Amino acid sequence: MSIDQVPRSCGVALATRGLQVRYGAVQALHGVSIDIHAGKIVTVIGPNGAGKSTLLNAIMGLLPDNGMATGRIEHHGAEMGQDPVERRLGRGIALVPERRELFASMTVQDNLELGAYRRRDARKSRQQCLHEIFELFPRLQERRRQAAGTLSGGERQMLALGRALMSAPSVLLLDEPSLGLAPRVMADVFAIIARLRDTGVATLLVEQNSRAALKVADYGYVLELGSITLQGPAGALAADPQVVAAYLGASKAAVA
Ligand SMILES: Nc1ncnc2c1ncn2[C@@H]1O[C@H](COP(=O)(O)OP(=O)(O)OP(=O)(O)O)[C@@H](O)[C@H]1O
Ligand SMILES: [Mg+2]
């Protein structure tokens, strides 16, 4: 495929600096600083409640009313932490949320076309974009006239990912893409995430399936109780005894 409108620069596409998030009295993030380069996959792994979704939602500007973020969020060096979500979308930030929010009664194709609504690149027709997404996800093409609400879990995940890609994002934020997927389908979804790297998109992959995430990622962070406790190249993290003990141990392997 050739989603070639994604910037191919190899600089830092997205960075957070000292990002803090509070939900009323609860502090969910305690000064998180991460970098994601264009054309790289960065994973954030960590247990339930660590603040992984909070991190993605803060970057997208989608915290709930009781959520408050401070610190810097930079897109290609420009501060965007105070921008409304529309402006972040316009910059090419796209989020596939933990609850795949699709329009259930609309068809697969209509859901995809809605994703192109904020497309940053006008050089390609909607038809061409759709063609590229169908090339990437043949299953969606087969089912393009089916109502999104009747798709299987894996198909729904593919549709949510395809819809985000229709906007030709420069930064792709993925919240637990493996959640609820059978191992075969999960492998397909991770293979697609890996292929997207070649388009130059900067991917931030949040996962509880640490084994699969560290396998596909270039770099990783461990987030625990709202703080980054470890970071490094994904291969080195996967070999780190602390990571192995907490996230990749024998019992974890069974579910990975
Ligand atoms: N709207 C909210 N109001 C109050 N507290 C919240 C809110 N949303 C999240 N939290 C709290 O913030 C912390 C981080 O939650 P978050 O959803 O970011 O974790 P997570 O790492 O994504 O967990 P999971 O792996 O279960 O998805 C948790 O303690 C959670 O209870
Ligand atoms: Mg979460």
Side-chain angles (χ1 to χ4, degrees):
M1 84 156 217
S2 59
I3 296 187
D4 56 14
Q5 51 275 66
V6 172
R8 284 174 187 277
S9 67
C10 43
V12 176
L14 188 98
T16 68
R17 290 291 172 265
L19 184 62
Q20 307 212 20
V21 174
R22 302 187 70 88
Y23 297 109
V26 177
Q27 183 144 7
L29 293 183
H30 300 267
V32 168
S33 299
I34 63 169
D35 286 316
I36 312 162
H37 287 72
K40 299 286 181 201
I41 301 171
V42 166
T43 188
V44 172
I45 60 172
N48 289 123
K52 303 182 300 296
S53 297
T54 297
L55 173 63
L56 296 190
N57 293 336
I59 293 170
M60 193 71 244
L62 278 178
L63 288 173
D65 287 346
N66 67 341
M68 234 270 286
T70 55
R72 290 179 68 81
I73 305 174
E74 297 170 2
H75 181 237
H76 288 290
E79 160 69 21
M80 62 156 202
Q82 302 308 315
D83 290 351
V85 60
E86 292 77 15
R87 195 167 302 164
R88 300 186 207 209
L89 280 165
R91 282 179 168 279
I93 319 287
L95 168 68
V96 179
E98 204 170 59
R99 290 188 209 92
R100 327 288 174 218
E101 279 132 5
L102 300 167
F103 295 96
S105 62
M106 290 171 65
T107 65
V108 165
Q109 180 157 342
D110 286 344
N111 268 276
L112 286 172
E113 288 186 350
L114 274 175
Y117 170 63
R118 290 190 181 274
R119 195 170 183 81
R120 293 176 309 127
D121 190 317
R123 285 174 302 175
K124 282 190 185 169
S125 68
R126 194 169 287 205
Q127 214 46 45
Q128 278 173 297
C129 304
L130 207 52
H131 178 75
E132 284 180 9
I133 298 299
F134 284 153
E135 235 174 45
L136 202 56
F137 302 98
R139 181 78 73 94
L140 294 183
Q141 181 162 28
E142 284 165 27
R143 283 155 203 275
R144 65 187 182 282
R145 298 207 173 81
Q146 190 171 325
T150 64
L151 295 175
S152 74
E155 291 162 352
R156 221 169 295 164
Q157 173 57 30
M158 289 179 198
L159 179 55
L161 191 50
R163 192 176 59 178
L165 292 173
M166 284 290 283
S167 68
S170 62
V171 175
L172 185 58
L173 309 171
L174 301 176
D175 200 348
E176 310 258 9
S178 76
L179 199 70
L181 301 187
R184 268 286 309 276
V185 183
M186 193 185 88
D188 288 349
V189 168
F190 274 96
I192 288 165
I193 294 169
R195 276 179 66 191
L196 292 174
R197 179 176 10 222
D198 302 332
T199 69
V201 70
T203 302
L204 177 51
L205 168 65
V206 153
E207 262 299 337
Q208 276 193 58
N209 188 331
S210 316
R211 187 177 299 276
L214 288 172
K215 213 166 173 183
V216 76
D218 298 289
Y219 197 86
Y221 295 88
V222 179
L223 184 66
E224 291 171 324
L225 294 173
S227 300
I228 301 290
T229 52
L230 272 175
Q231 62 175 287
L237 268 191
D240 184 294
Q242 266 176 279
V243 174
V244 172
Y247 300 104
L248 308 173
S251 60
K252 304 279 193 299
V255 293

